Structure formats: C-alpha cells, structure tokens
Amino acid sequence: MNSENEVVNLVGKPFKNISNKVNSTSPSIGVQETIEAVSGRLGIQGAISVTPLENNLFSFEIDAGNFRHEAKAELVYWLTEEEELILSWNFNIDLPDQTHWYDFIINAEDGSELKRIDWQINCAHPESHGTHSEHICQTSNIKKSLRT
C-alpha cells in the first residue's frame, strides 16, 4: 500500500472484507525497539542504527565490535492460518557464529514472535568467510506476508 492507503501490489488472491481482518494500520512498537529486543534475545549486544529508506522500509546495522550485520526491515501484514492480517515487522539477522540466518516476523503491536524462518539449512562453503552473501548456501526462504 502507498501513503494514501491504496493497494499498489497484490500477490495472490484478494480477500473479502479485508479491513475486518486487519489488526492495526499503525505499529505500537517501532522498528528499532523491535530489532533491539530480538537481537537481545539472540544474545547479540551492540549498537543498532536504523535509517528510513522509503514508506515502511528501513535499513539497519548491528555493530557489536567483532560482529556486524546489515539488513533491511519492513512493515508488512502477516497472514495467519485464521486469515487474519497482523501488522508486523519483517527482517533478518545472521548470528555472529554464522550457524543460523533467521528471518523474523514480529507482531508490531505487542512484540511477539509470529514466525522465525532459518534460511540457512547448511553451509557447504569450505573456507571461513565473513558473510553468507559472499557465496551460495543452501537456504529455505518461505514467506507468506503482504507488504503494507
């Protein structure tokens, strides 16, 4: 949706009475607070900086001294099995030891974790490396979200 709340991109089939399925149109918890909470739960302690890119899209960086992670965060609607749309923050975090590369869907109202997807099933790269974007890893990236 754009800033005038008009749908600009729809993937899949439209929903009937969509406004009755949406829990909120404005987040109660900001993107920085959400990333700080999730990274803290993962044991990552460091400075987090967030930069707005466009409507509902942000870049962020976690700098924990010997570990640095850069990614994007986006405000999306998460479709539940009950066909409710939950306003959520979507972002990924690669762990410092590179054992997991998580994609998170976090409820933007209460901060609860709705979904965690581990993109990294295994990494067969023979040498030590800095980031997984430097080579191809076997990944699983399954999302079912609607962009806000």
Side-chain angles (χ1 to χ4, degrees), residues 53-70:
L53 297 176
E54 57 186 60
N55 193 31
N56 300 323
L57 181 65
F58 302 82
S59 67
F60 72 93
E61 177 182 21
I62 302 171
D63 186 351
N66 61 349
F67 169 72
R68 189 170 159 194
H69 175 75
E70 295 178 8

Side-chain angles (χ1 to χ4, degrees), residues 25-133:
T25 57
S26 179
S28 296
I29 302 170
V31 64
Q32 179 143 353
E33 182 182 353
T34 302
I35 295 167
E36 287 172 351
V38 170
S39 63
R41 287 194 299 263
L42 294 172
I44 301 170
Q45 301 298 317
I48 297 172
S49 59
V50 176
T51 305
L53 297 176
E54 57 186 60
N55 193 31
N56 300 323
L57 181 65
F58 302 82
S59 67
F60 72 93
E61 177 182 21
I62 302 171
D63 186 351
N66 61 349
F67 169 72
R68 189 170 159 194
H69 175 75
E70 295 178 8
K72 292 188 174 138
E74 185 172 20
L75 192 60
V76 299
Y77 283 107
W78 176 255
L79 178 63
T80 68
E81 291 181 15
E82 297 80 22
E83 293 192 352
E84 296 173 317
L85 294 170
I86 307 297
L87 189 64
S88 307
W89 290 109
N90 176 222
F91 56 91
N92 71 75
I93 296 179
D94 188 15
L95 295 187
D97 65 3
Q98 299 178 349
T99 56
H100 298 281
W101 184 14
Y102 293 120
D103 185 49
F104 288 98
I105 304 289
I106 305 294
N107 187 318
E109 292 301 302
D110 64 14
S112 62
E113 185 176 307
L114 299 174
K115 188 74 173 179
R116 181 189 305 200
I117 300 166
D118 193 350
W119 288 0
Q120 183 173 321
I121 295 171
N122 65 39
C123 182
H125 198 272
E127 300 175 20
S128 176
H129 51 279
T131 67
H132 292 289
S133 61

